[in-house]
Amino acid sequence: MTIDQDRLTSELETLSAFSDAPAPAVTRIVFTDADRRARAYIKDLCGSAGLQVREDAVGNSFARWAGEDETLPAVGTGSHIDAIPHSGRYDGTVGVLGGLEAILSLRRSGFLPRRSIELLMFTSEEPTRFGIGCLGSRLLSGNLSAASARTLKDNDGRTLDEVRMAAGFHGSLEDAKLPHGYYHAFIELHIEQGPLLEQQRIPLGIVSSIAAPASFRIVIEGEGGHAGAVLMPDRHDAFLAAAEVALEVEAAARSTGAIDTVGTVGVCEVFPGAVNSIPSRVVLMLDARDTDEQRRDSILDSIRNHCERVSRERGVTIDWTLINADSPAVSSPMVMEALTNACRTQRVDFQIMVSRAYHDSLFMSRIAPTAMLFVPCAKGYSHRPGEYAAPDDIARGAAVLASALAELAT
């Protein structure tokens, strides 16, 4: 079994060109023209390889290598190809094209799977367009209802149904949910998006658990006024209240003493946004994550309590709106064992590790035994143009993935 490293590298480079940002940056928002052209490229590769390709109503794409017994649940692998604005070329795409190459390497070797092996390209892992991450995997796993999905809108006010149908994806969203027992196992190959493997010079990481986020929209309403005319004792500055809230997010996350607890305020919209006007309204977007759900929720309680104090002391109102609150995932021992065996077969060192970023595998774990395989990325950079994974590392990951898929599909 051999990985065609040159072809895999070339395919990743070609895919990166389907972008709304100049190279080396990649911007590929779901259902845009760049996304549609990238999807067509992947589907063409799968079709040319003789795989059976189908798509569901939201655009999740499946490319199947039929096994000897098609009545058995399949073994799946895959990831996503959408990219946030001005990001890199490896996030998600390594799992899609690396997964395809793993399947092709098994075919070249003469391996005949008992179970079908299926490559899955998820729709909209990134929350860029509809404000919610892992849209496709949430729907196919049943973690997002079709009714709730229909309420989603993009920044232009267009609904998910309007946008997906304009992109050529029809049918009922209810049909996106996979049947019970569809997959026997699922593996996602991915760049680490962190620096640990590179720092420790370990070739691969086998993920034991995936941290999950809780996301909130926080609206702070104060009182505006002229920056020169309103005296300091009379002010109810929404931005200064927001600053206190943001600092509490950091303090609460640090207070647990756990390295896996993180909190981020990634959006701060200030109104009216004039240098000579006191901010009357601020919108914050909060992201809190942990591998321990109770610990994560405890810091959210702390932040809420702090908001109540800030509200009283500064004379502002603070409202919270839940975007999503997902439970962390624990990897399947069966799938981790297959990956461990594959690493040993390939004589590749590995480390058991936590994924602090969340992925489509978080939701796949709700419906199938699931684990992830990480390859190193330079300096841990991700979601930026400097994101980089070495061809040797990607090929090594694809080889181990192929070996694990073979074990699970036998």
Side-chain angles (χ1 to χ4, degrees):
M1 183 181 66
T2 58
I3 297 298
D4 190 334
Q5 180 176 313
D6 290 342
R7 182 171 66 185
L8 180 52
T9 301
S10 175
E11 289 172 350
L12 285 165
E13 182 176 358
T14 299
L15 181 58
S16 72
F18 300 106
S19 170
D20 288 322
V26 177
T27 298
R28 195 159 48 236
I29 309 303
V30 68
F31 300 138
T32 60
D33 180 64
D35 179 61
R36 291 196 298 270
R37 289 186 289 117
R39 287 169 179 270
Y41 172 65
I42 297 294
K43 288 185 288 185
D44 183 64
L45 290 177
C46 293
S48 298
L51 303 181
Q52 303 166 12
V53 180
R54 71 176 180 89
E55 296 171 322
D56 67 16
V58 79
N60 291 314
S61 300
F62 305 79
R64 176 171 285 228
W65 177 20
E68 294 177 336
D69 188 347
E70 292 197 67
T71 66
L72 294 173
V75 174
T77 189
S79 193
H80 66 99
I81 63 166
D82 63 311
I84 68 170
H86 299 283
S87 60
R89 67 173 61 177
Y90 299 96
D91 176 14
T93 60
V94 164
V96 175
L97 289 170
L100 176 59
E101 179 58 29
I103 291 172
L104 296 181
S105 72
L106 289 173
R107 290 181 60 174
R108 290 193 298 267
S109 74
F111 174 75
L112 297 175
R114 186 168 68 98
R115 298 177 183 273
S116 296
I117 299 178
E118 192 166 76
L119 178 68
L120 176 48
M121 182 171 66
F122 296 99
T123 286
S124 194
E125 192 264 0
E126 305 292 1
T128 312
R129 184 155 197 176
F130 295 103
I132 185 170
C134 300
L135 174 60
S137 55
R138 286 179 191 270
L139 279 166
L140 63 79
S141 64
N143 279 261
L144 177 68
S145 69
S148 296
R150 290 191 184 93
T151 68
L152 297 175
K153 294 182 179 181
D154 64 13
N155 290 333
D156 295 324
R158 301 179 69 194
T159 67
L160 172 61
D161 275 346
E162 290 173 334
V163 175
R164 72 179 177 92
M165 289 181 183
F169 300 106
H170 302 281
S172 171
L173 289 177
E174 279 81 3
D175 295 336
K177 184 178 179 181
L178 291 176
H180 177 73
Y182 183 88
Y183 282 120
H184 171 66
F186 185 84
I187 303 174
E188 183 172 4
L189 176 66
H190 208 281
I191 60 171
E192 181 194 354
Q193 297 182 288
L196 299 183
L197 292 175
E198 182 187 59
Q199 288 175 353
Q200 298 171 26
R201 299 183 179 180
I202 298 175
L204 293 173
I206 298 176
V207 173
S208 60
S209 60
I210 305 173
S215 302
F216 291 86
R217 183 174 186 263
I218 304 174
V219 178
I220 302 171
E221 298 278 1
E223 292 181 6
H226 194 286
V230 181
L231 301 180
M232 298 305 287
D234 299 326
R235 296 192 179 199
H236 302 283
D237 188 318
F239 173 72
L240 294 181
E244 287 199 45
V245 172
L247 288 171
E248 175 57 20
V249 171
E250 178 188 43
R254 289 178 176 272
S255 70
T256 69
I259 196 66
D260 293 329
T261 312
V262 293
T264 305
V265 175
V267 172
C268 179
E269 299 174 351
V270 181
F271 301 90
V275 68
N276 61 344
S277 182
I278 300 166
S280 60
R281 183 172 182 264
V282 172
V283 176
L284 303 178
M285 296 295 290
L286 163 64
D287 180 301
R289 305 186 186 211
D290 206 320
T291 54
D292 185 300
E293 187 172 8
Q294 291 184 337
R295 191 167 58 207
R296 181 200 68 190
D297 291 348
S298 73
I299 73 164
L300 292 171
D301 289 339
S302 176
I303 296 166
R304 282 180 181 273
N305 292 336
H306 186 76
C307 284
E308 292 176 2
R309 182 180 66 79
V310 170
S311 177
R312 290 193 305 269
E313 293 180 356
R314 290 195 170 270
V316 299
T317 61
I318 303 179
D319 293 322
W320 285 51
T321 301
L322 174 67
I323 305 300
N324 64 277
D326 301 307
S327 299
V330 177
S331 297
S332 160
M334 176 187 74
V335 184
M336 289 183 67
E337 181 180 13
L339 287 168
T340 299
N341 292 340
C343 285
R344 289 171 177 160
T345 298
Q346 300 283 336
R347 298 182 179 180
V348 177
D349 290 337
F350 64 92
Q351 176 174 302
I352 304 297
M353 62 192 308
V354 168
S355 173
R356 294 180 175 88
Y358 88 137
H359 306 274
D360 289 302
S361 285
L362 182 80
F363 298 99
M364 293 304 294
S365 72
R366 315 294 199 233
I367 60 170
T370 298
M372 296 187 69
L373 181 66
F374 278 171
V375 300
C377 57
K379 300 180 181 179
Y381 290 168
S382 186
H383 283 192
R384 56 191 287 184
E387 179 180 273
Y388 178 75
D392 287 349
D393 291 329
I394 297 171
R396 186 181 298 111
V400 167
L401 172 64
S403 182
L405 291 175
E407 177 178 330
L408 292 166
T410 298

